Amino acid sequence: MRRIGNAVDTITAFLGAAVAGVSLLLPITFTWTGQSTQYRLTSLINSVPRGAAIGVIVAVAVAVLVTTFTRPVAAWATALGGALGMFVNHFAGRHVSSPDMLTTQNYLDSVCAGVLLGALGAAVLRRPGLAIGFALGGAGSFVAGNLADVLHITAQDPLEVLETPPRWLIAAAVLFLLLSTYHNRSRPMAERSPRLAVELPVTPILAAMVLALVVLMVSEWLNRQYQDAPNVSHAVDIGLAVTATALAAMAAAMLLPGRDGVGVYLAVSLVPVFTALGYAARPGWGVLALLVITAVGLFIGTRLPSAFIAITMIAGLAVFAIYNGSSDINVVDAAGSAGLALTTGYCCGTARPRYAPSGVLAIAALYLPSIITAVELRPDGATKASTPGCTALAIVACSAVGIAVLYFFRPRGRPRSDEPAEGETLADI
C-alpha cells in the first residue's frame, strides 16, 4: 500500500506542477480583437506577465509558510485549496463572466496557481521520487511552449481561454490531490529541537520579489522603449535590461541559503533562450515527445550533475537561436525544441536545492516574462534577426559569472544551523 501511495503522490506532484505551470505560462486572457478597445487590449497584454510575476511571489511565500507547519498534510491540503480555487475560477468564468472580467480572472488564476505550486513544492521537494515528478511537471509545461493547438484555443471565442489549463486537467489534479492529502493525513511528526516561537525565514520571499518585480519592470520598460522609438537602435537599452536582469538574479541567488541560487541562475538563463527559439505550435504527440526528452535530461542531471555543463548547454542553445531562431524549417525547429527539453531537464536534475522554497523559486522563475519578448518580433524590421539570440547569450554569460561568484562565496560544506540539512523532509523543517 505504501508503494501505491507513493506512486499516487508522484502522479499528483506531476499533475499539480503541470497545471500550475500552464496557468502561469499561458494567459487566461487571450484576445478578442474584434470586440475590444485599445485600453482593454493593453490591460489584457499587461495582465499576462504581471500575473506570472504575482504567481511566482505567491508560490515562494506559500512554500515558506507551509514549511513552518509540523505536519505534511498541511502542505497537501493547501495545494488542494489552490487547485480547487483554480477549478472554481475556470468553471464559474464560463457561466457568469463577460470578456471584461477575464483580466481579473487571470490574476485570480495566477494567485491560485501560485498557492498550488508553492504548497505542492514544499510537500514533495524533500522526497526524491516525488521531487522528480514535480520537476518534470513544471519543466514539461515550460518546454511545451505554445499549447494553443493542443488545447484547441481559438481567437473567435474569448471564453475559450478559460481552458488554459483545461478544466478536465484541473479536475484530475484536484482528484489526485484529494487522494494524496488523504494518504499523507497521518504521517507522524518528526522529533525536532526547540526553536524560536516565531521563525519565518523571509529571505526566499525577498529573493522572489526582487527577481520577479525587477524582471517584470525591465521587460515592460524595454517594450515601451521600442514602442516610443521603433525605428532606432536600442543596443544601449538592451544592455541596460540585461544588466538589470543579471543583478536581480544575483541578488536573488545570494539571498537563498547555500548554493540554492544555482537553480535561479539556470532558470533566468533558460527563459530568454526559450523565447529566442520562438513559440512553435506543437501537436499532442510533440508535447509527449518533449516530456520524454525532458525526463531523459532530468535523469542524466540527477546522475551527473554539473552547473558548468548545464550553463554550457544553455549557451549552446543561445548560439543555436542566433543562427536558427524562429526558423520556418520544421526539422530545425524540432531540433531546437528537443535541445531545450533536454537542457531544461538536465538543469532541473542539476540544481538540487537544499531548501524547498528555493526549488519552488527555481521552477516558478521559468514562467517569468523575458526581455526578449520586446525585441524578437518587430514588424518594422528595425531589429536584426540575431538580436534575440545575442541578448539571450549575454544573459547566459552573466549567469555563468554569477554561478562562479556564488561558488566562490559559498564553498561546499555543512549548512548553517538555520538551514535545512540535505535530505530533510517537510516534517523536519
Side-chain angles (χ1 to χ4, degrees), residues 40-96:
R40 288 176 179 174
L41 287 175
T42 301
S43 298
L44 293 181
I45 294 171
N46 290 338
S47 73
V48 178
R50 291 175 183 177
I54 291 171
V56 170
I57 296 172
V58 170
V60 177
V62 169
V64 170
L65 179 63
V66 298
T67 52
T68 63
F69 299 157
T70 55
R71 287 190 179 274
V73 69
W76 290 102
T78 303
L80 175 61
L84 284 172
M86 290 182 63
F87 184 79
V88 171
N89 190 35
H90 283 246
F91 182 81
R94 278 288 186 177
H95 299 278
V96 301

Side-chain angles (χ1 to χ4, degrees), residues 312-352:
T312 301
M313 292 173 68
I314 301 175
L317 285 175
V319 174
F320 180 87
I322 292 174
Y323 295 100
N324 301 287
S326 301
S327 173
D328 294 330
I329 304 175
N330 292 334
V331 175
V332 175
D333 179 71
S337 299
L340 177 68
L342 184 68
T343 301
T344 303
Y346 182 83
C347 290
C348 289
T350 294
R352 293 186 179 184

Side-chain angles (χ1 to χ4, degrees), residues 18-167:
V19 166
V22 171
S23 179
L24 293 176
L25 190 63
L26 296 180
I28 204 173
T29 54
F30 205 69
T31 180
W32 68 93
T33 55
Q35 310 173 31
S36 184
T37 64
Q38 183 62 39
Y39 174 78
R40 288 176 179 174
L41 287 175
T42 301
S43 298
L44 293 181
I45 294 171
N46 290 338
S47 73
V48 178
R50 291 175 183 177
I54 291 171
V56 170
I57 296 172
V58 170
V60 177
V62 169
V64 170
L65 179 63
V66 298
T67 52
T68 63
F69 299 157
T70 55
R71 287 190 179 274
V73 69
W76 290 102
T78 303
L80 175 61
L84 284 172
M86 290 182 63
F87 184 79
V88 171
N89 190 35
H90 283 246
F91 182 81
R94 278 288 186 177
H95 299 278
V96 301
S97 178
S98 69
D100 292 333
M101 288 294 294
L102 287 175
T103 299
T104 301
Q105 287 185 272
N106 183 48
Y107 288 123
L108 290 175
D109 209 51
S110 297
V111 171
C112 292
V115 172
L116 170 59
L117 189 68
L120 188 60
V124 305
L125 282 177
R126 296 268 54 92
R127 298 168 63 182
L130 276 61
I132 290 176
F134 181 81
L136 183 59
S141 59
F142 168 73
V143 301
N146 188 354
L147 295 174
D149 288 348
V150 177
L151 299 177
H152 305 292
I153 298 173
T154 63
Q156 285 72 31
D157 181 8
L159 297 182
E160 189 71 25
V161 300
L162 290 169
E163 295 302 308
T164 56
R167 282 173 292 175

